[in-house]
Amino acid sequence: MRRLLTAAVAVPLALLATFKFPPWAFFVFLLLIFIPASLEYVQLLRPLAPKAPLLMVPFAVPPLAAAFYWALAAHDRALPTDAWVLAGSILATAVVGSLLLFGRTPPAEAPVAMGIVGFGVPYFAMPVAVAVTMQRLDPWLLFLLYSIVWLGDTAAFYCGSAWGRHKMAPIVSPNKSWEGAAAGFLTGILATVVWSWWRLGEVRWPLLAVAALTAIAAQLGDLFESLLKRGVNVKDSGHLIPGHGGFFDRMDAMLFAGPVMLAGLWWIAHEGAGPL
């Protein structure tokens, strides 16, 4: 019941922000969700590197998210692709390494801390940039993403609880079943069929292919967070959202699904078969 009550409040708020906020306000709105999620990520993994300056992750998410958005949304002003690859390489190596060095990271914790920080910052920053980019292009694209992820997650949870018999990943997440995963996947596809017919007047098969990849990415994102939690023997990343755990628990699927969906939409748009 708490799960449904939380959704009854959170979903209308997310839709209001998606359809009514200007891009800059939507960016701020997302940071209010993703910064706490990144902080929970840091706290979750802190036992692996207790003395390393892991708090640089939530502090680095906003500027990197802004840079990603600028690169995604301003093609006419953006640097050439090779320049962005070089900048990303510098960020992932020299900048992160220097920050860990000057943060007096204990040598024994340096390799683990490098992974936590080097992966964690873009892990949370890129989905923010992707969501704002999709909202700027067409808020209904984000509505489709929400439908695939949220309805799929709901279907997976309830169908898996009722009929799940075959464990999907018993070591990583004992409660997830193949029956629940199939229900979540098919629900995401069905939601896309309805959206495509409603918004485009027809069902476009390339869009269904993107939806399929997005639905798979959402479930992988969920499993990946479960892998991290299993590694430190924690059930939930936090307790701020009744019935859902923490912000990280609630956003884990979006962290994988959003970038995959935008990449897919751009690809089929380039082929002349997408909604963009």
Side-chain angles (χ1 to χ4, degrees):
M1 180 60 70
R2 289 191 303 167
R3 187 182 180 93
L4 294 176
L5 291 176
T6 299
V9 175
V11 170
L13 180 60
L15 293 177
L16 174 67
T18 299
F19 285 95
K20 296 300 183 181
F21 285 14
W24 69 266
F26 188 58
F27 180 82
V28 173
F29 172 78
L30 290 176
L31 289 180
L32 294 177
I33 299 171
F34 280 86
I35 289 178
S38 68
L39 183 59
E40 290 175 352
Y41 163 84
V42 166
Q43 294 302 109
L44 179 71
L45 300 179
R46 180 166 292 285
L48 303 178
K51 297 182 179 179
L54 302 183
L55 281 177
M56 69 174 70
V57 173
F59 283 102
V61 165
L64 188 60
F68 280 150
Y69 173 69
W70 188 85
L72 292 172
H75 297 290
D76 56 330
R77 301 196 312 271
L79 294 172
T81 302
D82 54 354
W84 283 109
V85 172
L86 177 61
S89 299
I90 293 172
L91 173 67
T93 55
V95 173
V96 171
S98 298
L99 289 174
L100 292 176
L101 177 64
F102 291 111
R104 298 183 179 181
T105 304
E109 297 181 11
V112 175
M114 180 178 61
I116 294 172
V117 176
F119 175 82
V121 177
Y123 180 46
F124 291 95
M126 179 57 79
V128 173
V130 164
V132 179
T133 298
M134 293 175 67
Q135 190 235 20
R136 182 184 61 83
L137 292 172
D138 183 356
W140 286 104
L141 295 175
L142 266 185
F143 182 86
L144 176 58
L145 176 62
Y146 298 156
S147 300
I148 294 171
V149 175
W150 293 347
L151 294 179
D153 178 69
T154 301
F157 177 80
Y158 287 106
C159 292
S161 299
W163 300 297
R165 296 294 181 271
H166 300 86
K167 299 301 182 181
M168 184 180 183
I171 296 177
V172 174
S173 184
N175 293 326
K176 288 183 173 59
S177 66
W178 283 109
E179 291 83 357
F185 177 82
L186 293 175
T187 299
I189 299 299
L190 178 60
T192 306
V193 169
V194 174
W195 186 96
S196 183
W197 187 268
W198 176 36
R199 295 293 301 170
L200 307 176
E202 61 180 347
V203 177
R204 297 186 182 177
W205 295 105
L207 183 60
L208 293 185
V210 172
L213 291 175
T214 302
I216 293 171
Q219 297 202 33
L220 291 176
D222 193 346
L223 280 173
F224 176 72
E225 195 219 1
S226 296
L227 177 66
L228 297 180
K229 292 189 292 186
R230 180 66 59 180
V232 290
N233 294 315
V234 172
K235 183 178 184 298
D236 294 318
S237 67
H239 305 284
L240 295 177
I241 305 178
H244 294 270
F247 285 92
F248 188 20
D249 293 319
R250 183 63 274 172
M251 302 309 298
D252 54 4
M254 286 286 186
L255 296 172
F256 279 17
V260 167
M261 182 172 178
L262 181 59
L265 290 174
W266 273 347
W267 180 76
I268 62 176
H270 183 267
E271 299 297 318
L276 292 176

